[in-house]
Amino acid sequence: MLISGKEISKKVRDQIKDQVTAIKNANKRVPKLVVILVGEDPASKIYVRNKARGCDYVGMASEIIRKPAETTEDELVELLESLNHDDSVDGILVQLPLPKQINENRILNIIDPTKDVDGFHPSNVAKLVLEEDGLQPCTPRGMMVMLEEIGYDLTGKEVVVVGRSNIVGKPVAFMALNRNATVTICHSRTRDLEKVCQRADVLIAATGKPKMFNHNHVKKGAVVLDVGMDHDENGKLCGDVDFDDVKDIVSYITPVPGGVGPMTITMLLDNTLKAYQAKQGD
Ligand code: GUN
């Protein structure tokens, strides 16, 4: 069965829209997201535009701040400090990757953790690990919502995450662990990857390698969540999983496109609303 990120995303966005409408109807300030794009990366440009469109859909305010590729780290720090102090701003997102001259870790450290709608600030990472309330990364949160939507309880399940990025692999592993799954994190140095993946009740593919997972990696009845946004040999969008090769083995699978992707922006909108509510003391 397909898990449609498109449909689940629409449902969650409509719920967020209702909450923003209620805020408007109470004559209160609506939540605002600021997205910063440094440079001209073509994929980043599309992501940033879609984030602003997502805000429009739910009725939130948004602003895209575009900076030239040669922007210095100090200039970006100065901008972030002014946004940290701006009470009209609830969420701040710096689109990654950043140009080479800018130290990503320093930038992620500067963002006020209460406005860190990406959930990448070390204090939010620590809160995730310690199971405290905080803002959590969007793509992994989206995957948790998808599992909830199909009524899947992770308790005692074998979850195998392939990919150890700070954006997806590491946070999703902790989210699954916090839900009482037995979690294995694999990466490029893992020995006998197929054998490890075959253990998985839930396989999370987050490598960025087109169609690298096939029937040899998937146990019968497994749930497969595909984070890939890759291109095949013909330039066509595909996932990390060879969908056609595994679709008859799995119980559930997320398609690419229309799977995990749409959930990411939806959870960003949800995080912005959460940051707003925390600030308002709601
Ligand atoms: N680049 C790719 N994914 C992401 C993300 O989730 N957040 C940000 N800020 N940049 C990204």
Side-chain angles (χ1 to χ4, degrees), residues 112-127:
D112 177 344
T114 65
K115 299 188 179 189
D116 169 37
V117 285
D118 256 331
F120 296 162
H121 188 284
S123 104
N124 281 321
V125 176
K127 284 181 174 172

Side-chain angles (χ1 to χ4, degrees), residues 198-210:
Q198 279 163 11
R199 283 214 303 262
D201 297 310
V202 179
L203 177 63
I204 299 179
T207 62
K209 301 218 162 44

Side-chain angles (χ1 to χ4, degrees), residues 47 51 93-97 118 120 139 167 264:
Y47 292 145
K51 286 167 184 171
L93 181 146
V94 178
Q95 187 64 33
L96 304 176
D118 256 331
F120 296 162
T139 303
I167 295 181
T264 298

